[in-house]
């Protein structure tokens, strides 16, 4: 599983997830006390130990397998993609000269059709169970 990429909740007890649970404009704020407020990217790569990486992280999954790598923040492009925007839409916004900070904020404040559609599906599923 070397060089694999997973999302990670940046909480006091971080855990690997299959989805980014939150994107915020405060991507550089590190570990947060607010549950599931931030997501980052865990890049699995056992070579970090060979390269004397200062910030190597190890996780043990429920199966007992150890994952070694590093944590990085989401890029503005990744935030836009998570919100359902295309690369072309991101490139047009970036070409206007907007800063990364502004691009993060725009992604965090966006409400796109596909995101609302997925939220609607979850609400419908919950209502169908009740």
């Amino acid at each position: 599983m070397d060089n694999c990429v997973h999302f990670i909740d940046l909480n006091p007890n971080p855990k690997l997830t299959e989805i980014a649970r939150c994107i915020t404009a405060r991507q550089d704020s590190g570990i947060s006390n607010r549950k599931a407020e931030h997501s980052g990217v865990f890049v699995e790569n056992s070579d970090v130990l060979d390269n004397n990486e200062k910030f190597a992280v190890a996780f043990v999954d429920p199966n007992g397998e150890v994952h070694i790598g590093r944590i990085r923040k989401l890029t503005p492009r990744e935030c836009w993609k998570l919100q359902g925007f295309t690369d072309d839409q991101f490139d047009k916004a970036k070409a206007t000269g907007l800063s990364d900070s502004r691009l993060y904020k725009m992604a965090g404040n966006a409400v796109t059709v596909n995101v609302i559609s997925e939220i609607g599906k979850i609400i419908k599923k919950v209502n169908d169970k009740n």
Side-chain angles (χ1 to χ4, degrees), residues 39-51:
S39 286
V41 178
F42 176 74
V43 181
E44 186 167 2
N45 184 342
S46 58
D47 293 340
V48 295
L49 297 178
D50 297 335
N51 297 332

Side-chain angles (χ1 to χ4, degrees), residues 78-103:
E78 289 169 332
C79 290
W80 277 59
K81 287 178 120 176
L82 287 168
Q83 285 289 58
F85 292 105
T86 65
D87 282 334
D88 187 49
Q89 290 168 317
F90 174 81
D91 291 338
K92 285 178 182 176
K94 180 79 174 166
T96 65
L98 291 170
S99 67
D100 282 354
S101 177
R102 181 62 69 189
L103 291 166

Side-chain angles (χ1 to χ4, degrees), residues 4-8 16 40-45 57-59 67-72:
C4 230
V5 177
H6 300 281
F7 292 106
I8 185 167
L16 294 177
V41 178
F42 176 74
V43 181
E44 186 167 2
N45 184 342
V57 184
F59 287 95
H67 303 275
I68 299 170
R70 62 182 177 81
I71 298 172
R72 69 166 176 81

